[in-house]
Amino acid sequence: SLLEVVQPKKEESEDQNVISLSVEETNKLREKLGLKPLDVSDKSGDVHVPAKNLGKIMETEKLAEKMKLLQEKRRIKQQLSSVKSLGAGSTDLTETVSWVQRSRSIDKKKAAAAAQKKLLDSMDDEFGIGDLVDNENFGKEYTNKRSQELNCLT
């Protein structure tokens, strides 16, 4: 009796018989069986969004990390290439040579000054001038202190 109400379309394939029904035919059959009919309302607002491919996302993230690493390496290499090495510039060598010459001349001047002082001290000891100068300076200091003390009293 149910088969009489609904006339299904038979499609024969090589291995099996396939019965196909339209949505309206299926709903009529479902009503006869006491089931809820299928919803055929137009759902144009719903759009199927395909699932995200996690493999591609992870691959993209790995590539982005690799690109950041390469950019950082390139930036560091560029910074290091701008730094001069120890023997790179000839101006550094001339500056070093001039520094050595300056320090040697300063050392020579210090040695000459020490020899001059030693000579003058030995001459002072020979002629006794050192004692005279010391006594003269002592007398000046004594009179300066004495005059300051007297000025404070007045």
Side-chain angles (χ1 to χ4, degrees):
S1 71
L2 286 176
L3 292 177
E4 295 173 358
V5 174
V6 178
Q7 295 293 327
K9 298 178 188 174
K10 288 188 178 181
E11 295 179 12
E12 292 186 22
S13 64
E14 295 177 6
D15 294 337
Q16 56 183 312
N17 290 331
V18 177
I19 299 175
S20 64
L21 297 172
S22 67
V23 175
E24 294 85 22
E25 293 171 341
T26 305
N27 281 341
K28 286 180 186 176
L29 181 61
R30 289 176 67 91
E31 275 183 49
K32 296 284 183 185
L33 294 173
L35 299 173
K36 183 178 172 184
L38 298 175
D39 187 19
V40 289
S41 63
D42 187 24
K43 297 183 181 182
S44 61
D46 294 337
V47 177
H48 173 68
V49 178
K52 295 179 182 179
N53 189 344
L54 296 178
K56 282 190 175 184
I57 292 172
M58 291 180 67
E59 184 179 337
T60 305
E61 289 174 357
K62 285 180 183 178
L63 285 174
E65 284 294 320
K66 194 173 187 179
M67 292 296 292
K68 285 181 185 178
L69 182 66
L70 289 173
Q71 287 174 347
E72 184 68 19
K73 282 183 180 179
R74 192 177 312 122
R75 184 185 63 79
I76 291 171
K77 187 176 181 181
Q78 187 177 18
Q79 282 179 345
L80 291 177
S81 68
S82 65
V83 175
K84 291 182 181 178
S85 63
L86 291 176
S90 63
T91 57
D92 293 341
L93 183 60
T94 57
E95 288 176 10
T96 306
V97 169
S98 64
W99 177 82
V100 168
Q101 289 173 345
R102 269 194 322 265
S103 35
R104 284 183 182 166
S105 67
I106 290 171
D107 288 342
K108 285 179 183 178
K109 287 178 184 177
K110 285 181 182 179
Q116 181 83 17
K117 184 177 187 271
K118 194 174 188 181
L119 178 67
L120 290 175
D121 286 343
S122 68
M123 287 174 68
D124 284 346
D125 290 340
E126 259 182 55
F127 298 111
I129 297 175
D131 294 333
L132 291 174
V133 173
D134 288 340
N135 289 337
E136 192 175 307
N137 285 338
F138 178 74
K140 286 181 184 177
E141 290 175 11
Y142 180 74
T143 54
N144 284 339
K145 286 184 182 179
R146 186 76 179 143
S147 64
Q148 287 175 355
E149 290 173 357
L150 291 175
N151 284 337
C152 290
L153 293 176
T154 58

